[in-house]
Amino acid sequence: NIVGSSSTGQQQTNILFATVFFGANDAALPGELQHIPPDEYSNNLISIVEHMKKSTLQVSVGDDNSKDVESCSSDDDDLPIILFTPPPVDADAWYAHRGEPKDKKRINDRANENAKLYGDIVKDVAKKANCSVLDVFDCLGGNGPVETYGKHLRDGLHLSASGNVLVYEGLMEVLGKDH
């Protein structure tokens, strides 16, 4: 039970863990609008983790008819933070999904190798910040042939239903092992 009552009768919310899952867009190839240089991406991740470790967070509790917003503390360094690497990219499927770029200067704005590079940055930040890692790239088979990992991406970039199941299973494994 995430929500409990405190001795004052007010509801108190305890955060069990937090996740940070971004980087697929940041890992767009240099020159693309969404591209974030690797050093800046690393610094952004570090800032996010530091902020999460020292912040009071707001959470919504309840169903759609009776939502309450509650404050909860992350208890400083005790909050388990799990960083997710970006997923692999099926560049050809992504190109087919998004269509030909208007400027016609580039065939693809993504590359699987770049997604892996940004995943390595996530692992490095996690090690420095004492966070767990869910290697989504590996979880979906990003080091293997595109036929293996492509089926877990609905459009070459975003997770399909099977991709979401694998990420969920990976998260449960990380939580069981590390926390």
Side-chain angles (χ1 to χ4, degrees), residues 28-86:
L29 295 174
E32 296 297 326
L33 181 62
Q34 294 179 314
H35 173 75
I36 301 296
D39 288 346
E40 185 177 347
Y41 176 71
S42 176
N43 290 335
N44 289 345
L45 273 176
I46 291 166
S47 294
I48 289 168
V49 169
E50 288 174 352
H51 181 77
M52 291 173 78
K53 286 185 175 185
K54 65 181 178 183
S55 293
T56 298
L57 305 174
Q58 300 287 320
V59 295
S60 296
V61 179
D63 60 26
D64 288 336
N65 297 322
S66 62
K67 278 197 175 172
D68 294 319
V69 175
E70 300 179 4
S71 295
C72 50
S73 173
S74 62
D75 289 332
D76 300 325
D77 289 332
D78 295 335
L79 175 68
I81 299 173
I82 303 163
L83 303 182
F84 289 31
T85 68

Side-chain angles (χ1 to χ4, degrees), residues 10-11 24 41 53 56 63-65 81 86 88 93 104 111 130 132 139 143 152 154 159 170 172:
Q10 295 177 333
Q11 283 195 333
Y41 176 71
K53 286 185 175 185
T56 298
D63 60 26
D64 288 336
N65 297 322
I81 299 173
K104 300 180 184 184
N130 196 29
S132 298
C139 185
N143 290 310
H152 303 301
R154 65 178 165 84
L159 301 179
M172 293 300 104

Side-chain angles (χ1 to χ4, degrees), residues 2-3 8 13 18 40 56 95 113 115 134 142 176:
I2 294 176
V3 180
T8 63
T13 303
E40 185 177 347
T56 298
Y95 180 76
E113 299 77 24
L134 174 55

